[in-house]
Amino acid sequence: MSKRKKKSGTTKKLSTQVVPVIGMSMAVETELFAIMQRLGIVRSESYNKLGSVSHWGLDWRKAYPEIRAFRTPESLEVPSKLMEWTVSDVAKAITAQQAACIEALGKILHKRFPGQENKKRRNECYKQLSSPSFVDNPFLHRIVRKQFQRGHSSTRNQIIYQQGGYSCKRISRHTYQLELAGLRRGKRNRILVRSNRKLTGQIRLIYNLQLQRFEVHFIVDYGTVNLPAEHRSIGVDKGYTEAFYDSDGRAHGLGLGKLATAKSNRITLKNRNRGKLWALHRKLEKIDPVKSARILENNLSRKTENRRYRKDQAGILAIIGAASRSLFNGESLKVFAEDLTEPIKGKRQSLAMSRKLNSWMKGAIRDSLQKWANWTGSVVLEIQPSYTSQVDSVTGTLLGVRKGDTFTRFNGVVLQADHNAARNILGRGTDHEISRYTKREEVQAVLLRRTARFLEGMDLSLADAVKLGWLDSKHSRTQAFRDLLAGMPGTLR
């Protein structure tokens, strides 16, 4: 019986581009602010109406009639199309939130229906969660209501335009004129934007509150990428000192830790000095109010600090983006990476370490990895991260000690710690006993069983490994360790 071959295909390379508005009249600015405020009411009411469980799985194309039933464009004096595009944008965002909720419920479903024998039952639950019919299932209804955070919005700074709502004309090499639909029929608002390409498709006009300027966000299509039938697999360890370390032994994004630490230390020192100035400002409020006001105006504003913060963030994002590009290097890969969405429970760190980890942009690393995977036709699969840095990648056991950037095996051979972890992540991706949603305690039990089997071939026990310093003594406090040591039936299976 021949195996079915996987089909190859193509996918589009899309990216969001942000361009600044460099020219508009005061009358146009006033009208745009008025439109943003009115559409903000539409956005808020749409979230309140469509964000409930009763509208779960609603097609975004059918969202506008739901809102227009109680809020008409005439009541806000806005064009019907601008209101419709805003409602559709909200409906798409809610659909994305619902999809993220279903993905997050995977851990609960695997706990309720564990093992390969319940795979069909889990798939039925996923299928039921994709439609409003899940409310008839008490279990699914309960877990969705606990996980799904109903959306609310107070956004009053953006307008959505589809292609029919504006026209774009080139003025000079990097300047384009946009004519946008306004409040009056047949009269459009003209603005100038600085861009290196013509604006097409849906655009989003946003007033950036931090930069105090108007911006236009739009999607750029950079062509298509071929999707191969087969991908080469690779494991990736996400780190602080460097963005990625792959299972081939290559480091990507060197200097990330230094930049993040410098940013963290600078902000700490700055806030410490600001605290002293705040104390002085409060002390002088009654004694010398003029000097107190001068300190507040000249020394305690956030304008300079916000500019430095944005510069630091941009530097970190640049390193992460370059690291992701270097990792794929134009090749279509199957990437196994750690699922770091949940914090490590029971892990106490120093205040300095906690402060540095807070500046570690885990979300940006994950998004950048997924972006470049889409651009190269690659696949990113997340795995259970527990103990990936504490396992010996050669033997697949817990025998060994990690200290800093080194991992010392039980036989004295020293490995690079991040490379060792990346190889473990690659192996975890095809591990049939440990899935992405396996609990940490179960992962520990599986690894202890494998360690016990390995030691059995050397006529040693887990207790002997602890005495020799090969196995961390923390594992001896678990029930799985005690069962294996007692030789209970079935523990080595």
Side-chain angles (χ1 to χ4, degrees):
M1 186 176 179
S2 60
K3 294 183 179 179
R4 181 182 294 179
K5 292 184 178 180
K6 296 180 180 178
K7 294 182 179 180
S8 59
T10 59
T11 184
K12 288 187 176 182
K13 296 194 293 184
L14 304 175
S15 180
T16 301
Q17 183 165 339
V18 179
V19 296
V21 176
I22 57 175
M24 69 170 65
S25 66
M26 287 296 295
V28 169
E29 182 177 342
T30 303
E31 184 170 329
L32 290 177
F33 274 127
I35 297 173
M36 288 179 177
Q37 290 295 321
R38 297 173 191 180
L39 291 180
I41 298 173
V42 175
R43 185 174 293 272
S44 177
E45 292 179 346
S46 299
Y47 263 106
N48 291 338
K49 177 70 174 178
L50 305 176
S52 63
V53 176
S54 60
H55 285 83
W56 188 275
L58 178 69
D59 188 350
W60 65 268
R61 298 175 187 85
K62 301 177 181 178
Y64 185 53
E66 292 280 341
I67 303 302
R68 183 151 184 166
F70 65 90
R71 171 61 73 182
T72 62
E74 292 78 17
S75 65
L76 294 173
E77 297 182 352
V78 293
S80 177
K81 282 297 180 182
L82 289 183
M83 178 173 168
E84 181 181 354
W85 296 334
T86 299
V87 173
S88 298
D89 184 63
V90 171
K92 292 174 184 177
I94 292 174
T95 300
Q97 291 171 359
Q98 292 172 356
C101 172
I102 294 174
E103 183 181 358
L105 292 175
K107 190 170 185 179
I108 300 175
L109 292 176
H110 276 72
K111 184 178 179 180
R112 181 68 175 261
F113 310 112
Q116 289 293 323
E117 63 276 9
N118 288 316
K119 185 176 181 181
K120 185 178 179 180
R121 185 71 180 275
R122 291 197 299 268
N123 290 338
E124 290 175 356
C125 290
Y126 281 122
K127 186 177 180 179
Q128 198 171 356
L129 283 170
S130 301
S131 65
S133 63
F134 79 89
V135 296
D136 299 328
N137 186 321
F139 167 66
L140 295 180
H141 196 185
R142 184 174 69 254
I143 63 175
V144 167
R145 291 186 72 88
K146 285 184 178 180
Q147 177 66 36
F148 184 63
Q149 298 295 322
R150 177 171 177 164
H152 297 281
S153 176
S154 57
T155 301
R156 301 283 192 275
N157 67 334
Q158 55 185 268
I159 309 172
I160 305 296
Y161 291 97
Q162 294 292 352
Q163 188 71 65
Y166 71 95
S167 62
C168 183
K169 178 182 177 182
R170 186 174 182 179
I171 301 299
S172 61
R173 183 180 180 185
H174 292 307
T175 305
Y176 287 85
Q177 176 181 280
L178 293 180
E179 293 188 353
L180 308 171
L183 295 176
R184 287 167 289 180
R185 191 181 189 88
K187 181 170 174 45
R188 295 202 165 190
N189 297 315
R190 293 181 180 179
I191 63 172
L192 297 178
V193 298
R194 184 185 294 116
S195 175
N196 58 357
R197 55 173 50 83
K198 187 176 181 180
L199 283 68
T200 58
Q202 176 180 296
I203 65 172
R204 189 185 303 264
L205 179 65
I206 294 179
Y207 183 72
N208 192 317
L209 297 174
Q210 286 188 337
L211 300 179
Q212 300 289 305
R213 71 178 188 186
F214 285 92
E215 298 174 344
V216 178
H217 297 214
F218 64 102
I219 300 294
V220 179
D221 186 352
Y222 289 94
T224 59
V225 59
N226 294 323
L227 299 177
E230 298 291 339
H231 298 81
R232 183 172 70 89
S233 297
I234 191 173
V236 172
D237 179 53
K238 301 173 185 176
Y240 179 82
T241 54
E242 61 277 323
F244 306 110
Y245 210 106
D246 62 34
S247 54
D248 293 337
R250 299 175 300 168
H252 308 272
L254 295 171
L256 175 66
K258 289 184 179 179
L259 192 60
T261 300
K263 168 197 164 188
S264 175
N265 293 340
R266 182 189 64 76
I267 292 175
T268 301
L269 182 61
K270 178 77 174 179
N271 289 339
R272 191 175 295 155
N273 292 332
R274 282 174 65 89
K276 296 177 182 178
L277 287 172
W278 270 109
L280 180 61
H281 157 68
R282 294 192 187 96
K283 182 179 179 180
L284 294 175
E285 275 183 323
K286 294 181 179 179
I287 304 174
D288 191 348
V290 176
K291 186 175 182 180
S292 175
R294 192 164 61 245
I295 292 174
L296 182 63
E297 180 181 359
N298 298 330
N299 302 101
L300 292 174
S301 67
R302 293 287 306 178
K303 189 176 292 184
T304 303
E305 178 57 29
N306 289 342
R307 185 168 64 248
R308 288 177 180 172
Y309 182 81
R310 290 193 297 268
K311 184 177 179 181
D312 290 341
Q313 294 291 89
I316 292 175
L317 290 173
I319 291 179
I320 293 173
S324 301
R325 183 177 183 178
S326 171
L327 174 68
F328 291 100
N329 197 23
E331 184 182 359
S332 293
L333 302 170
K334 179 186 284 187
V335 178
F336 293 103
E338 302 160 288
D339 181 4
L340 301 178
T341 52
E342 290 193 10
I344 302 174
K345 295 181 181 179
K347 187 77 172 177
R348 293 179 63 88
Q349 286 123 355
S350 64
L351 291 176
M353 180 57 68
S354 297
R355 187 176 67 247
K356 291 175 183 177
L357 289 178
N358 284 337
S359 65
W360 183 37
M361 304 175 69
K362 291 190 296 182
I365 290 175
R366 188 187 190 193
D367 293 343
S368 179
L369 195 65
Q370 187 61 57
K371 170 190 170 183
W372 282 96
N374 295 339
W375 274 44
T376 57
S378 302
V379 179
V380 177
L381 300 174
E382 294 189 325
I383 56 97
Q384 223 286 5
S386 298
Y387 301 102
T388 50
S389 62
Q390 301 171 44
V391 172
D392 182 353
S393 59
V394 179
T395 62
T397 65
L398 289 167
L399 302 179
V401 178
R402 175 174 182 171
K403 190 174 183 180
D405 289 334
T406 62
F407 182 89
T408 306
R409 298 183 60 210
F410 72 97
N411 58 4
V413 176
V414 178
L415 305 175
Q416 210 286 337
D418 296 325
H419 184 204
N420 177 68
R423 292 179 61 184
N424 287 325
I425 291 168
L426 176 60
R428 185 71 60 85
T430 55
D431 196 322
H432 297 294
E433 288 188 275
I434 304 174
S435 71
R436 177 183 175 184
Y437 301 105
T438 304
K439 294 174 64 175
R440 183 183 63 83
E441 294 79 8
E442 296 174 10
V443 174
Q444 186 182 27
V446 170
L447 295 175
L448 283 172
R449 285 199 298 270
R450 295 175 182 175
T451 305
R453 283 197 297 266
F454 180 80
L455 290 170
E456 192 177 35
M458 303 169 63
D459 292 329
L460 295 173
S461 67
L462 291 174
D464 296 329
V466 173
K467 290 178 183 178
L468 291 169
W470 295 352
L471 182 65
D472 195 324
S473 60
K474 69 180 180 181
H475 299 295
S476 62
R477 296 188 288 271
T478 64
Q479 185 62 42
F481 183 93
R482 290 191 287 269
D483 292 344
L484 288 165
L485 205 60
M488 293 184 65
T491 52
L492 287 179
R493 291 180 186 174

